[in-house]
Amino acid sequence: MSDSQSYVIVGAGLAGASAARTLREEGFTGPIQLIGAEAHRPYIRPPLSKDYLSGSSDRDSVYVDPKDWYAQHDVELLLGTSVARVDAGRQLIHTDAGDEFAYSKLLIATGSSPRRLSIPGADLEGVHYLRTLEDSDTLRPLLATGSLRLVLIGSGWIGMEVAATARTLGNDVTILERDPIPLANALGDELGQMFADLHEHNGVILRRSVSVESVLGKDGRASAVRLESGEVIPADLVLVGIGATPNVELANSAGLTIDNGISVDASLRTNDPAIYAAGDVANAYHPLAKLQLRSEHWANALNGGKVAARSMLGQNVSFDDIPYFYTDQFDVGMEYSGFGPLTRGADVVYRGDRAGREFIAFWVADGRVVAGMNVNVWDVNEAVQGIIRRGNQVDHAKLADADVPLESL
């Protein structure tokens, strides 16, 4: 396959690495530049709040490919390189260092960045975020002591995972959450409460329906968090997990359509025929759900990178994977597949032992399963995704009956 074209991928994360690998697997022989702002070759992020953070896995486990894969496959890996802007008219990218790279096709896979606290004391030493390998490297030895008072601001997936990891290592953990129930926006009140109960059972202090006023410091270092009520929560370490925003600056410079990320069609093409987007930064049309979706989970980056590469090669492809993510917290492992926006107001049907935390939950909207979550029940995710993909009208009683094979629904 063509050799005269030059493909540039900006963003050396999982989506970018997946795209580069797929381009070579599909027979593309032309130049590929994979450009990343970080100093590390592409790595995956889930272990940063789980196994790697806890010290139960080593650094080699987080990398996407072996160190020599890129050279062996003639992929020019440019690390520690920030791209300043895209000149879409001339099909050039410009780096902060003043270098230029021409492209025939460009993939933007720049990911997302943590939302920053904008309160007094937010810039004190000891206030942390968790996004990068360096962030996890910083937190890892601190939490390993098992003697810290960790205060988490926000109770999203990363915050809850870090809370579980830190508490398992023996640290005192307090979560500050503005909503009444953590994870309720993603899972609903009942299942959000299950995770709240899990954490409290394991000694995590959950402070709900509270607002943070400031981070207090001593000698330039965070020492406590003050609530709007005036209450002060002592802290040796503060971790902020209040969501993320897509990195759309390059897309803006290229004149691309922006709407909660870079707007792309089902083939991950932007409004510029030479530019594509994948991963956290892409807000893609999903042909099965018939709506635009932006996902910050690793499966989206992995599979979206593959589809973007094939689309760049002119193949007739569509990114129709059902969104998927997983979490491990204390003794609960969970896999979730489905379309979060379609679960609003849906009925939740349970199969299995809810009290023992071994069950499958199904979200049913207009008679069809739009999402499913298996909790401590394994080897069923493929079947759950099959039900969602088929879109059949389902009987609640059969969904709840463990004697009815999932494959028959």
Side-chain angles (χ1 to χ4, degrees):
M1 202 168 290
S2 183
D3 31 7
S4 57
Q5 293 193 323
S6 177
Y7 285 11
V8 174
I9 302 168
V10 179
L14 179 56
S18 177
R21 174 177 282 276
T22 303
L23 287 171
R24 289 301 187 225
E25 290 175 346
E26 292 292 316
F28 179 69
T29 59
I32 300 174
Q33 278 106 25
L34 178 57
I35 303 174
E38 293 188 50
H40 308 285
R41 70 182 190 272
Y43 59 88
I44 56 176
R45 299 189 191 276
L48 303 188
S49 58
K50 303 182 183 76
D51 294 349
Y52 184 71
L53 182 63
S54 72
S56 59
S57 65
D58 60 21
R59 177 173 282 221
D60 284 344
S61 68
V62 307
Y63 292 115
V64 178
D65 293 300
K67 187 175 183 179
D68 56 359
W69 183 90
Y70 303 94
Q72 290 176 353
H73 293 82
D74 199 22
V75 173
E76 186 179 3
L77 186 58
L78 302 167
L79 300 176
T81 302
S82 296
V83 177
R85 65 185 180 90
V86 176
D87 183 342
R90 299 170 60 204
Q91 296 190 193
L92 292 173
I93 65 164
H94 300 264
T95 71
D96 283 348
D99 296 320
E100 293 182 353
F101 294 91
Y103 64 86
S104 303
K105 298 286 179 67
L106 170 66
L107 174 62
I108 299 177
T110 46
S112 58
S113 296
R115 288 195 180 96
R116 315 296 289 189
L117 270 185
S118 56
I119 58 174
D123 57 351
L124 286 168
E125 186 180 350
V127 177
H128 297 267
Y129 297 81
L130 180 53
R131 172 68 183 176
T132 67
L133 186 52
E134 281 90 350
D135 294 335
S136 194
D137 280 339
T138 298
L139 291 168
R140 193 179 186 194
L142 298 174
L143 296 179
T145 67
S147 60
L148 296 182
R149 297 168 298 178
L150 171 65
V151 174
L152 290 121
I153 299 176
S155 63
W157 292 111
I158 288 179
M160 297 293 273
E161 288 173 356
V162 172
T165 298
R167 184 66 192 136
T168 299
L169 291 170
N171 299 280
D172 293 333
V173 179
T174 300
I175 298 175
L176 306 178
E177 170 54 48
R178 65 181 179 182
D179 293 327
I181 300 175
L183 302 176
N185 287 336
L187 302 177
D189 289 353
E190 288 182 345
L191 290 164
Q193 185 61 49
M194 180 194 76
F195 279 97
D197 293 343
L198 171 70
H199 278 254
E200 290 181 329
H201 176 75
N202 283 279
V204 174
I205 297 172
L206 265 173
R207 301 296 308 277
R208 317 183 201 196
S209 302
V210 297
S211 295
V212 174
E213 178 189 89
S214 61
V215 179
L216 304 179
K218 182 178 181 181
D219 299 326
R221 184 173 185 83
S223 60
V225 176
R226 185 194 299 276
L227 305 181
E228 286 189 352
S229 65
E231 182 180 0
V232 173
I233 313 293
D236 301 308
L237 192 66
V238 176
L239 181 70
V240 181
I242 54 175
T245 55
N247 297 325
V248 298
E249 294 80 7
L250 285 185
N252 273 321
S253 73
L256 304 181
T257 301
I258 306 297
D259 180 13
N260 182 30
I262 305 173
S263 292
V264 292
D265 65 13
S267 296
L268 305 186
R269 294 173 296 210
T270 71
N271 54 300
D272 184 312
I275 304 179
Y276 302 72
D280 293 14
V281 77
N283 188 7
Y285 180 78
H286 199 289
L288 190 60
K290 294 181 172 55
L291 47 77
Q292 296 287 135
L293 289 174
R294 191 177 72 82
S295 172
E296 295 173 357
H297 298 293
W298 72 272
N300 174 64
L302 174 67
N303 298 317
K306 296 176 183 178
V307 171
R310 295 185 178 113
S311 187
M312 293 165 78
L313 294 171
Q315 298 179 17
N316 184 19
V317 292
S318 178
F319 187 31
D320 64 355
D321 286 45
I322 294 171
Y324 166 90
F325 68 92
Y326 73 97
T327 190
D328 295 304
Q329 300 176 33
F330 298 111
D331 60 351
V332 167
M334 175 274 272
E335 295 177 295
Y336 178 103
S337 295
F339 304 105
L342 301 183
T343 65
R344 308 294 184 259
D347 297 325
V348 183
V349 178
Y350 297 95
R351 169 186 290 221
D353 180 7
R354 285 182 61 194
R357 300 193 185 112
E358 292 186 9
F359 64 89
I360 307 172
F362 301 94
W363 283 262
V364 183
D366 298 324
R368 295 177 172 83
V369 175
V370 295
M373 181 175 79
N374 48 295
V375 176
N376 287 341
V377 176
W378 306 112
D379 302 321
V380 297
N381 183 256
E382 186 175 338
V384 170
Q385 290 206 6
I387 297 172
I388 299 169
R389 186 172 294 281
R390 287 190 293 275
N392 297 333
Q393 291 284 324
V394 294
D395 179 87
H396 285 204
K398 290 182 177 179
L399 265 183
D401 187 348
D403 292 328
V404 177
L406 295 174
E407 292 78 7
S408 71
L409 298 171

